[in-house]
Amino acid sequence: MNKKDFYYNLPKHLIAHSPLLKRTDSRLMLLDRKSGTYKHQKFTDILELLKSGDCLVINDTKVIPARLFGQIMDSVHTNIEMLLHREIGEDRWEVLCKPGRKCKPKAKILLANDSIIATVESVQADGVVIVTFEYDGDFDDLLNIYGAVPLPPYIKETSNLERYNTVYAENKGSVAAPTAGLHFTHEILKNLQEKGVNIVRLTLHVGLGTFRPVNEEIIENHRMHREYYEIPENTADIINRTKSEGGRIIAVGTTCCRTLETCADDDGFVRADTGNTDIFIYPGHKFKAIDGLLTNFHIPESTLIMLVSAFCGRENILKAYEAAVAEEYRFYSFGDAMLIL
């Protein structure tokens, strides 16, 4: 398939630059994946749309202040920006550097007001840099003091950064939020549980793939970066019991979807597991684990719109997006939601 098959025209004024006053004030488009029909609703209507016996799967990853600034220790002390991606060993990380051409093997970089020294081990073919960190004290504390949250460029509001994490975020490690979960409050989750909806957690640390566009014209040639995930035993047990009893598995966001599809067998039962996934879901993928997907409205020609097109059909998605534009929904991270059932 061609990348251009997933293009749609989005007026810039529909991009949500900041969050709404209340998380639950978002709109919700309900999309039938089989017929392609849709309804315009409110996010709070999710209390009626989910049923007793359903299982809602949430991603409890937490965004870390993963941007660090400093200088390369060379004759001219070149300024550098470093984006942490994934910890691969004790004090060893995959990172992105800007300007990347300056980050050569054996280069030393002073970061965080000289509190951290990064030594470049190697530079991968895709531009990812392997570094080793040296520091005194606690690395997380240094990140909290000197690091910055790597917000997407279209987010202009930076005074309320806790809104860029879900209310259930716990496990630190993401460089971007699993944004479908930003609409939930503790009250909504409690009300769903009281209705009989099981809510289970997994972790997928959102990585560099979020920032990397699809550069291949033929999308099958695109390669995803690996991202770390965990599915606890209890989560797998509840998902599998729900499936056995005829309940629906509703993934909150593409991160949950990708994790579950990575760990599902041909019958849709998932295994408790820890590992890394580079699964790329696009039309033609046979879904095994999920029956529904709560998601936001995604960037044209992105891997995310390709995933929802795989779940619902490209024509259905593009028609629904056209309607969302006409109705002036809010798009991207702080935008409105879509529930595909």
Side-chain angles (χ1 to χ4, degrees):
M1 300 188 75
N2 290 312
K3 180 175 71 170
K4 65 182 179 182
D5 293 333
F6 301 91
Y7 177 80
Y8 68 93
N9 183 47
L10 177 65
K12 290 184 178 180
H13 73 277
L14 297 183
I15 298 173
H17 299 295
S18 59
L20 296 171
L21 184 62
K22 296 180 180 178
R23 290 179 184 265
T24 55
D25 281 349
S26 298
R27 299 168 71 183
L28 177 71
M29 177 181 282
L30 176 64
L31 179 60
D32 186 301
R33 62 183 294 214
K34 293 182 179 178
S35 68
T37 57
Y38 52 82
K39 296 180 181 178
H40 304 298
Q41 303 195 220
K42 306 184 300 295
F43 183 76
T44 50
D45 292 336
I46 199 167
L47 291 169
E48 283 71 51
L49 296 170
L50 298 188
K51 305 173 183 177
S52 177
D54 286 342
C55 181
L56 191 72
V57 186
I58 60 178
N59 181 5
D60 66 2
T61 189
K62 188 170 186 177
V63 179
I64 61 173
R67 291 174 69 201
L68 291 170
F69 303 89
Q71 293 181 324
I72 296 179
M73 295 172 62
D74 57 18
S75 58
V76 293
H77 287 275
T78 304
N79 290 331
I80 202 81
E81 177 181 340
M82 184 175 290
L83 175 63
L84 306 184
H85 167 44
R86 189 167 66 97
E87 190 172 12
I88 57 175
E90 187 172 356
D91 295 325
R92 296 180 69 241
W93 284 75
E94 292 179 347
V95 305
L96 287 181
C97 293
K98 188 166 66 175
R101 66 184 184 279
K102 296 291 185 178
C103 291
K104 299 178 180 179
K106 298 185 180 180
K108 291 189 178 294
I109 305 167
L110 291 174
L111 300 161
N113 199 24
D114 299 348
S115 299
I116 300 172
I117 300 175
T119 301
V120 177
E121 292 186 14
S122 62
V123 180
Q124 309 301 304
D126 59 359
V128 173
V129 180
I130 309 298
V131 301
T132 301
F133 290 122
E134 300 174 61
Y135 53 88
D136 291 325
D138 183 83
F139 189 67
D140 286 342
D141 289 344
L142 293 173
L143 284 185
N144 288 330
I145 295 170
Y146 297 108
V149 173
L151 293 171
Y154 52 81
I155 291 182
K156 307 301 182 185
E157 176 59 60
T158 59
S159 62
N160 196 15
L161 292 182
E162 71 271 13
R163 288 292 299 276
Y164 194 57
N165 269 308
T166 63
V167 297
Y168 46 77
E170 280 187 0
N171 291 321
K172 297 177 181 178
S174 278
V175 299
T179 55
L182 296 179
H183 307 280
F184 286 101
T185 61
H186 291 298
E187 182 180 8
I188 288 279
L189 294 169
K190 179 182 177 184
N191 290 340
L192 285 170
Q193 287 179 311
E194 289 175 347
K195 184 177 181 178
V197 175
N198 288 309
I199 300 176
V200 297
R201 297 172 177 240
L202 56 74
T203 302
L204 181 130
H205 291 320
V206 186
L208 296 177
T210 297
F211 297 92
R212 288 286 176 90
V214 177
N215 292 320
E216 302 285 350
E217 291 303 318
I218 306 301
I219 67 170
E220 289 87 345
N221 295 332
H222 178 73
R223 293 292 176 266
M224 299 284 285
H225 282 284
R226 291 184 301 161
E227 294 169 311
Y228 176 81
Y229 68 84
E230 297 177 3
I231 298 182
E233 194 80 42
N234 183 58
T235 291
D237 289 344
I238 294 174
I239 289 172
N240 293 337
R241 184 169 70 245
T242 299
K243 190 166 287 289
S244 296
E245 294 173 353
R248 299 178 299 180
I249 309 301
I250 313 296
V252 177
T254 58
T255 59
C256 285
C257 172
R258 293 177 64 243
T259 305
L260 294 174
E261 290 298 309
T262 295
C263 296
D265 65 20
D266 289 339
D267 295 317
F269 294 100
V270 302
R271 66 183 183 275
D273 196 14
T274 298
N276 295 285
T277 182
D278 60 359
I279 188 172
F280 177 25
I281 297 176
Y282 54 86
H285 176 83
K286 181 182 178 182
F287 285 85
K288 299 171 289 186
I290 72 169
D291 304 294
L293 176 64
L294 178 70
T295 187
N296 281 16
F297 290 89
H298 302 297
I299 294 173
E301 299 182 338
S302 65
T303 61
L304 304 180
I305 196 171
M306 294 170 190
L307 185 152
V308 295
S309 295
F311 188 60
C312 189
R314 186 182 71 89
E315 293 78 10
N316 290 342
I317 283 293
L318 292 179
K319 185 186 299 183
Y321 271 53
E322 182 180 357
V325 169
E327 292 292 326
E328 298 205 326
Y329 276 64
R330 291 159 51 89
F331 281 67
Y332 301 172
S333 296
F334 284 139
D336 294 314
M338 173 185 281
L339 178 61
I340 307 173
L341 292 175

mmCIF file with all atom_site columns, all heavy atoms in Angstrom, residues 132-143:
data_model
loop_
_atom_site.group_PDB
_atom_site.id
_atom_site.type_symbol
_atom_site.label_atom_id
_atom_site.label_alt_id
_atom_site.label_comp_id
_atom_site.label_asym_id
_atom_site.label_entity_id
_atom_site.label_seq_id
_atom_site.pdbx_PDB_ins_code
_atom_site.Cartn_x
_atom_site.Cartn_y
_atom_site.Cartn_z
_atom_site.occupancy
_atom_site.B_iso_or_equiv
_atom_site.pdbx_formal_charge
_atom_site.auth_seq_id
_atom_site.auth_comp_id
_atom_site.auth_asym_id
_atom_site.auth_atom_id
_atom_site.pdbx_PDB_model_num
ATOM 1   N N   . THR A 1 132 ? 26.657 5.709  27.229 1.00 0.00 ? 132 THR A N   1
ATOM 2   C CA  . THR A 1 132 ? 26.785 5.308  28.626 1.00 0.00 ? 132 THR A CA  1
ATOM 3   C C   . THR A 1 132 ? 26.823 6.569  29.474 1.00 0.00 ? 132 THR A C   1
ATOM 4   O O   . THR A 1 132 ? 27.547 7.514  29.151 1.00 0.00 ? 132 THR A O   1
ATOM 5   C CB  . THR A 1 132 ? 28.068 4.490  28.862 1.00 0.00 ? 132 THR A CB  1
ATOM 6   O OG1 . THR A 1 132 ? 28.043 3.325  28.022 1.00 0.00 ? 132 THR A OG1 1
ATOM 7   C CG2 . THR A 1 132 ? 28.169 4.062  30.317 1.00 0.00 ? 132 THR A CG2 1
ATOM 8   N N   . PHE A 1 133 ? 26.035 6.584  30.553 1.00 0.00 ? 133 PHE A N   1
ATOM 9   C CA  . PHE A 1 133 ? 25.974 7.753  31.430 1.00 0.00 ? 133 PHE A CA  1
ATOM 10  C C   . PHE A 1 133 ? 26.825 7.544  32.680 1.00 0.00 ? 133 PHE A C   1
ATOM 11  O O   . PHE A 1 133 ? 26.868 6.451  33.243 1.00 0.00 ? 133 PHE A O   1
ATOM 12  C CB  . PHE A 1 133 ? 24.530 8.029  31.860 1.00 0.00 ? 133 PHE A CB  1
ATOM 13  C CG  . PHE A 1 133 ? 23.651 8.542  30.762 1.00 0.00 ? 133 PHE A CG  1
ATOM 14  C CD1 . PHE A 1 133 ? 22.494 7.861  30.412 1.00 0.00 ? 133 PHE A CD1 1
ATOM 15  C CD2 . PHE A 1 133 ? 23.965 9.714  30.082 1.00 0.00 ? 133 PHE A CD2 1
ATOM 16  C CE1 . PHE A 1 133 ? 21.670 8.333  29.407 1.00 0.00 ? 133 PHE A CE1 1
ATOM 17  C CE2 . PHE A 1 133 ? 23.141 10.203 29.077 1.00 0.00 ? 133 PHE A CE2 1
ATOM 18  C CZ  . PHE A 1 133 ? 21.991 9.513  28.734 1.00 0.00 ? 133 PHE A CZ  1
ATOM 19  N N   . GLU A 1 134 ? 27.472 8.626  33.091 1.00 0.00 ? 134 GLU A N   1
ATOM 20  C CA  . GLU A 1 134 ? 28.156 8.680  34.391 1.00 0.00 ? 134 GLU A CA  1
ATOM 21  C C   . GLU A 1 134 ? 27.597 9.874  35.154 1.00 0.00 ? 134 GLU A C   1
ATOM 22  O O   . GLU A 1 134 ? 27.397 10.950 34.581 1.00 0.00 ? 134 GLU A O   1
ATOM 23  C CB  . GLU A 1 134 ? 29.666 8.860  34.212 1.00 0.00 ? 134 GLU A CB  1
ATOM 24  C CG  . GLU A 1 134 ? 30.356 7.751  33.431 1.00 0.00 ? 134 GLU A CG  1
ATOM 25  C CD  . GLU A 1 134 ? 31.817 8.099  33.178 1.00 0.00 ? 134 GLU A CD  1
ATOM 26  O OE1 . GLU A 1 134 ? 32.559 8.266  34.167 1.00 0.00 ? 134 GLU A OE1 1
ATOM 27  O OE2 . GLU A 1 134 ? 32.186 8.240  31.995 1.00 0.00 ? 134 GLU A OE2 1
ATOM 28  N N   . TYR A 1 135 ? 27.357 9.692  36.457 1.00 0.00 ? 135 TYR A N   1
ATOM 29  C CA  . TYR A 1 135 ? 26.757 10.764 37.260 1.00 0.00 ? 135 TYR A CA  1
ATOM 30  C C   . TYR A 1 135 ? 26.916 10.419 38.735 1.00 0.00 ? 135 TYR A C   1
ATOM 31  O O   . TYR A 1 135 ? 27.191 9.268  39.108 1.00 0.00 ? 135 TYR A O   1
ATOM 32  C CB  . TYR A 1 135 ? 25.276 10.921 36.913 1.00 0.00 ? 135 TYR A CB  1
ATOM 33  C CG  . TYR A 1 135 ? 24.506 9.630  36.995 1.00 0.00 ? 135 TYR A CG  1
ATOM 34  C CD1 . TYR A 1 135 ? 23.916 9.200  38.188 1.00 0.00 ? 135 TYR A CD1 1
ATOM 35  C CD2 . TYR A 1 135 ? 24.408 8.795  35.885 1.00 0.00 ? 135 TYR A CD2 1
ATOM 36  C CE1 . TYR A 1 135 ? 23.254 8.000  38.263 1.00 0.00 ? 135 TYR A CE1 1
ATOM 37  C CE2 . TYR A 1 135 ? 23.744 7.587  35.955 1.00 0.00 ? 135 TYR A CE2 1
ATOM 38  C CZ  . TYR A 1 135 ? 23.166 7.191  37.148 1.00 0.00 ? 135 TYR A CZ  1
ATOM 39  O OH  . TYR A 1 135 ? 22.525 5.986  37.221 1.00 0.00 ? 135 TYR A OH  1
ATOM 40  N N   . ASP A 1 136 ? 26.726 11.395 39.580 1.00 0.00 ? 136 ASP A N   1
ATOM 41  C CA  . ASP A 1 136 ? 26.659 11.197 41.024 1.00 0.00 ? 136 ASP A CA  1
ATOM 42  C C   . ASP A 1 136 ? 25.217 11.378 41.462 1.00 0.00 ? 136 ASP A C   1
ATOM 43  O O   . ASP A 1 136 ? 24.522 12.280 40.991 1.00 0.00 ? 136 ASP A O   1
ATOM 44  C CB  . ASP A 1 136 ? 27.551 12.203 41.760 1.00 0.00 ? 136 ASP A CB  1
ATOM 45  C CG  . ASP A 1 136 ? 29.034 11.935 41.530 1.00 0.00 ? 136 ASP A CG  1
ATOM 46  O OD1 . ASP A 1 136 ? 29.411 10.753 41.432 1.00 0.00 ? 136 ASP A OD1 1
ATOM 47  O OD2 . ASP A 1 136 ? 29.797 12.914 41.437 1.00 0.00 ? 136 ASP A OD2 1
ATOM 48  N N   . GLY A 1 137 ? 24.771 10.528 42.381 1.00 0.00 ? 137 GLY A N   1
ATOM 49  C CA  . GLY A 1 137 ? 23.413 10.658 42.881 1.00 0.00 ? 137 GLY A CA  1
ATOM 50  C C   . GLY A 1 137 ? 22.449 9.763  42.147 1.00 0.00 ? 137 GLY A C   1
ATOM 51  O O   . GLY A 1 137 ? 22.812 8.704  41.634 1.00 0.00 ? 137 GLY A O   1
ATOM 52  N N   . ASP A 1 138 ? 21.189 10.189 42.086 1.00 0.00 ? 138 ASP A N   1
ATOM 53  C CA  . ASP A 1 138 ? 20.111 9.404  41.502 1.00 0.00 ? 138 ASP A CA  1
ATOM 54  C C   . ASP A 1 138 ? 19.769 9.950  40.116 1.00 0.00 ? 138 ASP A C   1
ATOM 55  O O   . ASP A 1 138 ? 19.505 11.144 39.951 1.00 0.00 ? 138 ASP A O   1
ATOM 56  C CB  . ASP A 1 138 ? 18.874 9.459  42.407 1.00 0.00 ? 138 ASP A CB  1
ATOM 57  C CG  . ASP A 1 138 ? 17.742 8.594  41.899 1.00 0.00 ? 138 ASP A CG  1
ATOM 58  O OD1 . ASP A 1 138 ? 17.752 7.388  42.172 1.00 0.00 ? 138 ASP A OD1 1
ATOM 59  O OD2 . ASP A 1 138 ? 16.857 9.140  41.212 1.00 0.00 ? 138 ASP A OD2 1
ATOM 60  N N   . PHE A 1 139 ? 19.746 9.065  39.106 1.00 0.00 ? 139 PHE A N   1
ATOM 61  C CA  . PHE A 1 139 ? 19.526 9.501  37.731 1.00 0.00 ? 139 PHE A CA  1
ATOM 62  C C   . PHE A 1 139 ? 18.129 10.107 37.556 1.00 0.00 ? 139 PHE A C   1
ATOM 63  O O   . PHE A 1 139 ? 17.960 11.133 36.892 1.00 0.00 ? 139 PHE A O   1
ATOM 64  C CB  . PHE A 1 139 ? 19.712 8.325  36.773 1.00 0.00 ? 139 PHE A CB  1
ATOM 65  C CG  . PHE A 1 139 ? 19.728 8.707  35.324 1.00 0.00 ? 139 PHE A CG  1
ATOM 66  C CD1 . PHE A 1 139 ? 20.767 9.462  34.796 1.00 0.00 ? 139 PHE A CD1 1
ATOM 67  C CD2 . PHE A 1 139 ? 18.705 8.316  34.474 1.00 0.00 ? 139 PHE A CD2 1
ATOM 68  C CE1 . PHE A 1 139 ? 20.790 9.822  33.453 1.00 0.00 ? 139 PHE A CE1 1
ATOM 69  C CE2 . PHE A 1 139 ? 18.718 8.666  33.130 1.00 0.00 ? 139 PHE A CE2 1
ATOM 70  C CZ  . PHE A 1 139 ? 19.758 9.430  32.621 1.00 0.00 ? 139 PHE A CZ  1
ATOM 71  N N   . ASP A 1 140 ? 17.106 9.490  38.162 1.00 0.00 ? 140 ASP A N   1
ATOM 72  C CA  . ASP A 1 140 ? 15.747 10.024 38.055 1.00 0.00 ? 140 ASP A CA  1
ATOM 73  C C   . ASP A 1 140 ? 15.645 11.420 38.655 1.00 0.00 ? 140 ASP A C   1
ATOM 74  O O   . ASP A 1 140 ? 14.958 12.300 38.108 1.00 0.00 ? 140 ASP A O   1
ATOM 75  C CB  . ASP A 1 140 ? 14.744 9.094  38.742 1.00 0.00 ? 140 ASP A CB  1
ATOM 76  C CG  . ASP A 1 140 ? 14.485 7.826  37.946 1.00 0.00 ? 140 ASP A CG  1
ATOM 77  O OD1 . ASP A 1 140 ? 14.795 7.814  36.735 1.00 0.00 ? 140 ASP A OD1 1
ATOM 78  O OD2 . ASP A 1 140 ? 13.984 6.849  38.532 1.00 0.00 ? 140 ASP A OD2 1
ATOM 79  N N   . ASP A 1 141 ? 16.330 11.633 39.768 1.00 0.00 ? 141 ASP A N   1
ATOM 80  C CA  . ASP A 1 141 ? 16.317 12.965 40.387 1.00 0.00 ? 141 ASP A CA  1
ATOM 81  C C   . ASP A 1 141 ? 16.943 14.001 39.461 1.00 0.00 ? 141 ASP A C   1
ATOM 82  O O   . ASP A 1 141 ? 16.439 15.132 39.334 1.00 0.00 ? 141 ASP A O   1
ATOM 83  C CB  . ASP A 1 141 ? 17.071 12.945 41.720 1.00 0.00 ? 141 ASP A CB  1
ATOM 84  C CG  . ASP A 1 141 ? 16.319 12.198 42.813 1.00 0.00 ? 141 ASP A CG  1
ATOM 85  O OD1 . ASP A 1 141 ? 15.096 11.968 42.639 1.00 0.00 ? 141 ASP A OD1 1
ATOM 86  O OD2 . ASP A 1 141 ? 16.934 11.837 43.825 1.00 0.00 ? 141 ASP A OD2 1
ATOM 87  N N   . LEU A 1 142 ? 18.044 13.619 38.802 1.00 0.00 ? 142 LEU A N   1
ATOM 88  C CA  . LEU A 1 142 ? 18.695 14.548 37.876 1.00 0.00 ? 142 LEU A CA  1
ATOM 89  C C   . LEU A 1 142 ? 17.784 14.864 36.690 1.00 0.00 ? 142 LEU A C   1
ATOM 90  O O   . LEU A 1 142 ? 17.719 16.013 36.229 1.00 0.00 ? 142 LEU A O   1
ATOM 91  C CB  . LEU A 1 142 ? 20.023 13.967 37.397 1.00 0.00 ? 142 LEU A CB  1
ATOM 92  C CG  . LEU A 1 142 ? 21.115 13.831 38.462 1.00 0.00 ? 142 LEU A CG  1
ATOM 93  C CD1 . LEU A 1 142 ? 22.324 13.082 37.909 1.00 0.00 ? 142 LEU A CD1 1
ATOM 94  C CD2 . LEU A 1 142 ? 21.545 15.212 38.962 1.00 0.00 ? 142 LEU A CD2 1
ATOM 95  N N   . LEU A 1 143 ? 17.075 13.842 36.188 1.00 0.00 ? 143 LEU A N   1
ATOM 96  C CA  . LEU A 1 143 ? 16.132 14.086 35.097 1.00 0.00 ? 143 LEU A CA  1
ATOM 97  C C   . LEU A 1 143 ? 15.036 15.052 35.533 1.00 0.00 ? 143 LEU A C   1
ATOM 98  O O   . LEU A 1 143 ? 14.647 15.961 34.779 1.00 0.00 ? 143 LEU A O   1
ATOM 99  C CB  . LEU A 1 143 ? 15.503 12.782 34.624 1.00 0.00 ? 143 LEU A CB  1
ATOM 100 C CG  . LEU A 1 143 ? 16.338 11.846 33.765 1.00 0.00 ? 143 LEU A CG  1
ATOM 101 C CD1 . LEU A 1 143 ? 15.478 10.670 33.311 1.00 0.00 ? 143 LEU A CD1 1
ATOM 102 C CD2 . LEU A 1 143 ? 16.915 12.558 32.554 1.00 0.00 ? 143 LEU A CD2 1
#
